[in-house]
Amino acid sequence: MSEGSKGSSLAFGQVVIGPPGSGKTTYCHGMQEFMGRIGRKVTVVNLDPANEAMPYQCAVDIAELITLPDVMENLKLGPNGGLIYCMEYLEANFDWLQEKLTAFRGHYYLFDCPGQVELYTHHDALKNVFAQLAKWNFRLAAVHLVDSHYCTDPGKFISVLCTSLSTMLHVELPHVNILSKMDLIEQYGKLAFNLDYYTEVLDLSYLVDHLASDPFFRNYRRLNEKLVEVIEDYSLVSFVPLNVQDKESMRQVMQAVDKANGYSFGDQEHRSLEALMSAAVGADFHFTSTLAVQEKYVQSQDKAVEEEVMDL
C-alpha cells in the first residue's frame, strides 16, 4: 500500500459518515457481522476519537494515536474544536495510519468516522485523509447516514437534503445516502407522502406546498423554494432505506455500496448472476428496496388504526 505503487492490490471499503446519533457505530457493527457471515474478511477502523464504547471488533483505533478527552483537557478546547484538532492531527500522521492498515491487506474496510457535520461540509482534514487513502489504492464509497425521522418534518427534511448535497460535493467520493432506523420511523408520526417520495427525492414543490401550510414557514416560502431549486438542479441526492435488524435491508444497502465503490465488479469473491444484476439495475433496484420498507410501514400504520378503532 505504498504511495504511488501501481502494482499493489486494490482495497475496498466504506467511510461511514453522518451527524451525531444517526447510527454510524451501530451500522458498522451490523455490517461487520453481516459481511462476516457471507465470507468477507472485514476490518473496522475507528476514526472517531470520541468513540469509547464500541460494540464491534475494532482492528485499528484512533485512540491509540489521540483521544478527544485528552485534547479537550490539555488544549482547553470544546468538543467541536477538539474533533477538528484530532482530525488535523490524524492528517499530519498518515504514516501511523498506513502502518496500521498494512497489517490487514486483503480485507474489506469499514471506517467509522466522527459525527461532526462540519468535517464533511467545509473542513478539509477528513477529505484529505480520504484522498490519501485513494493514493494507497483504496476504493472507497461514502455511506452517509441520516436518521429517517427527519422525513416526518418537511422543514427538517429540506435541511437534510441540503446537508447531504453539501457533503456529497465536498467529500468527493462515490456516495450512498442512507435513511437509517427505518424500523422506528412510525414512532415519530405519519409521513405526508409515500416513502418512495423521500427516498427518490421526487418533485419537491409538493414538499414546499405542504410546508407552507404551517403559518411559521409560510413567511419563508420563497427561501424554501430557492433551496429546493438548488437540490433539484444538482439532481444528486437520493436515499436507500435501512433497518439494521433486517437482513434483507442490510443486503440491499451492501449491494448499493458495492456498486458505488466497484467491489461488485471485481474478482475478490465468487458472485452469482443475481448479485451482479442487482448492482447494475439502478432505479429498479432502489424501487424494490423502498417498496419492501414501504409495505412494512403501511402495515404498521394500518395496525395502529385498527387498534384505535378497537379501543373505541
Side-chain angles (χ1 to χ4, degrees), residues 55-100:
Y56 50 72
Q57 295 179 355
C58 182
V60 180
D61 190 355
I62 193 176
E64 299 176 17
L65 178 69
I66 191 171
T67 65
L68 181 61
D70 288 344
V71 170
M72 293 174 62
E73 180 180 352
N74 295 325
L75 300 180
K76 308 305 178 185
L77 294 173
N80 290 342
L83 275 174
I84 290 176
Y85 180 88
C86 289
M87 293 302 100
E88 291 176 344
Y89 191 80
L90 175 63
E91 182 186 0
N93 288 272
F94 281 140
D95 54 341
W96 173 86
L97 182 61
Q98 185 176 18
E99 180 182 353
K100 291 292 184 180

Side-chain angles (χ1 to χ4, degrees), residues 17-18 22 93 101 103 116 127 139 165 167 185 244 289 297 309:
I17 62 179
S22 57
N93 288 272
L101 295 178
Q116 188 177 359
K127 174 184 175 181
R139 297 297 178 263
L165 178 59
T167 301
I185 189 171
V244 174
S289 64
Y297 172 76
V309 172

Side-chain angles (χ1 to χ4, degrees), residues 248-262:
E248 179 61 21
S249 177
M250 290 291 286
R251 183 184 69 86
Q252 291 166 346
V253 169
M254 184 189 72
Q255 290 178 335
V257 177
D258 284 351
K259 175 187 174 183
N261 64 16

Side-chain angles (χ1 to χ4, degrees), residues 68-259:
L68 181 61
D70 288 344
V71 170
M72 293 174 62
E73 180 180 352
N74 295 325
L75 300 180
K76 308 305 178 185
L77 294 173
N80 290 342
L83 275 174
I84 290 176
Y85 180 88
C86 289
M87 293 302 100
E88 291 176 344
Y89 191 80
L90 175 63
E91 182 186 0
N93 288 272
F94 281 140
D95 54 341
W96 173 86
L97 182 61
Q98 185 176 18
E99 180 182 353
K100 291 292 184 180
L101 295 178
T102 301
F104 301 96
R105 285 181 178 174
H107 287 215
Y108 187 98
Y109 297 83
L110 297 173
F111 293 89
D112 188 2
C113 299
Q116 188 177 359
V117 176
E118 294 91 332
L119 292 172
Y120 313 116
T121 56
H122 60 270
H123 195 268
D124 286 336
L126 261 183
K127 174 184 175 181
N128 294 338
V129 171
F130 300 155
Q132 185 62 49
L133 288 170
K135 293 179 181 178
W136 295 337
N137 280 336
F138 278 79
R139 297 297 178 263
L140 301 173
V143 178
H144 183 214
L145 270 65
V146 174
D147 199 318
S148 61
H149 85 265
Y150 290 122
C151 295
T152 61
D153 187 317
K156 290 181 179 178
F157 187 65
I158 290 178
S159 176
V160 162
L161 291 173
C162 292
T163 303
S164 298
L165 178 59
S166 177
T167 301
M168 294 176 75
L169 296 175
H170 183 73
V171 171
E172 297 180 351
L173 284 176
H175 216 87
V176 178
N177 291 304
I178 304 290
L179 283 177
S180 63
K181 306 179 185 178
M182 287 304 303
D183 52 320
L184 303 177
I185 189 171
E186 65 267 14
Q187 297 182 9
Y188 299 100
K190 186 175 175 60
L191 296 179
F193 307 100
N194 288 338
L195 185 61
D196 60 344
Y197 176 87
Y198 299 93
T199 57
E200 300 301 327
V201 190
L202 302 176
D203 188 351
L204 293 178
S205 62
Y206 293 103
L207 197 64
V208 174
D209 291 339
H210 183 73
L211 196 61
S213 62
D214 187 317
F216 175 79
F217 288 105
R218 190 177 301 139
N219 296 328
Y220 301 96
R221 181 185 180 100
R222 182 163 175 78
L223 172 62
N224 289 323
E225 287 175 344
K226 292 302 179 182
L227 290 174
V228 163
E229 285 180 14
V230 171
I231 296 166
E232 291 184 329
D233 285 346
Y234 277 96
S235 191
L236 290 175
V237 184
S238 63
F239 295 94
V240 180
L242 170 66
N243 173 8
V244 174
Q245 307 299 327
D246 185 0
K247 293 181 180 178
E248 179 61 21
S249 177
M250 290 291 286
R251 183 184 69 86
Q252 291 166 346
V253 169
M254 184 189 72
Q255 290 178 335
V257 177
D258 284 351
K259 175 187 174 183

Side-chain angles (χ1 to χ4, degrees), residues 28-40 42 246-252 254-255:
C28 288
H29 184 211
M31 190 59 72
Q32 181 187 44
E33 290 189 343
F34 183 81
M35 288 184 170
R37 289 173 182 170
I38 64 173
R40 290 193 197 179
V42 181
D246 185 0
K247 293 181 180 178
E248 179 61 21
S249 177
M250 290 291 286
R251 183 184 69 86
Q252 291 166 346
M254 184 189 72
Q255 290 178 335

